[in-house]
Amino acid sequence: MSDSSEAIALATTQIEQALAEKTKRPTIAGFFDEATFTVSYVVHDPATDEAAIIDSVLDYEAASGRTSYGSADAIIEYVKTNNLKVTWLIETHAHADHLSAAPYLQEKLGGKLAIGSEIIRVQEVFGKLFNAGSDFERDGSQFDHLFKDGERFKVGTLEGIALHVPGHTPADMAFVIGDAAFVGDTIFMPDFGTARADFPGGDARQLFKSIRRLLSLPDDTRLFLCHDYKAPGRDVYAWESTVGQQRRENVHVKDGVTEDEFVEMRTKRDSTLDMPNLIMPSVQVNIRGGRLPTPEANGVSYIKIPVNAV
């Protein structure tokens, strides 16, 4: 793992170069799924048409247990219409509010499925909770690539760097591509604040440090968020801001808020929140790289619901 300050210095240099040179900036399309309030992204290099898909959504109806592909097919249509070549399918973390469509997209479009290397900690915790058994590997092998903090990668000619930003979960990552940072479940629009930190392995103090790490990037860095829930008084969904805007305006972590103040606020707020509606199916699928549990003897996959366990 790289030194934290070294990784941020590398990301800062990359962002400054991208801000100075238009050719180093990605083209970004957001796809908002209102059912889960999730934004998926297609990020591509205009020079080569190589692309990454970040945080895709598999449609899932909890009452019937049925999956469908409307959200993923919209991404496929965009990729094909623009003649893009997908090289990466990236997850910022093992989501607790939606199922990933990455395996479906990989089958249709190709690309390497990737997540942060700390996914093994999440697999261990939830593998025990769901009593997943010895056939469930807890080594990240369900993914093609595990990113480490400070690791560099490319989308075509565009430079990218992975940053470990734990707190919401132990495995959360942010991905800086050109002048844009895809921050997953760390921070939301300034009027809504920040992500919760009360899931197994979450930590409000770590989350504060991770967010402040992200907010040490240049002020003009574009931040692309994984969710929006429309703060009170706002009538439209939004999912893009900048580092400077967050530092000035974020209701939870703007400049001047101390770590202890944030931890107290976050802990109290989290204690009032219900679990996400889809946490049980989402986590079971997403720790498997977006794949359903192994079918049983009748050919059907089953989602487990642990009773009185969380």
Side-chain angles (χ1 to χ4, degrees), residues 8 34 55 61 65-66 72 83-85 126 139 158 167 198 212 214-215 233 245 255 257 263 271 294 304 309:
I8 288 294
E34 191 167 351
D55 291 337
E61 185 182 82
R66 292 187 180 275
N83 297 312
L84 305 181
K85 178 185 177 183
F126 284 99
D139 59 1
L158 298 175
D198 60 331
R212 294 310 305 182
L214 289 172
L215 297 187
Q245 183 186 18
D255 287 354
V257 175
V263 170
S271 69
T294 303
K304 291 183 176 180

Side-chain angles (χ1 to χ4, degrees), residues 168-189:
H168 175 64
T169 79
D172 279 62
M173 301 291 288
F175 294 90
V176 180
I177 302 173
D179 67 327
F182 300 86
V183 299
D185 284 16
T186 53
I187 199 166
F188 300 139
M189 290 300 290

Side-chain angles (χ1 to χ4, degrees), residues 263-283:
V263 170
E264 181 181 8
M265 176 282 301
R266 191 70 263 173
T267 302
K268 288 181 178 178
R269 184 178 175 88
D270 288 350
S271 69
T272 70
L273 300 177
D274 294 330
M275 286 290 103
N277 291 334
L278 296 183
I279 186 170
M280 295 303 175
S282 295
V283 173

Side-chain angles (χ1 to χ4, degrees), residues 45-87:
D45 172 19
T48 64
D49 289 332
E50 288 194 19
I53 298 172
I54 300 176
D55 291 337
S56 61
V57 174
L58 177 69
D59 301 321
Y60 178 76
E61 185 182 82
S64 66
R66 292 187 180 275
T67 60
S68 57
Y69 303 101
S71 296
D73 285 341
I75 290 175
I76 292 172
E77 181 180 3
Y78 175 85
V79 167
K80 291 185 174 180
T81 298
N82 290 279
N83 297 312
L84 305 181
K85 178 185 177 183
V86 174
T87 53

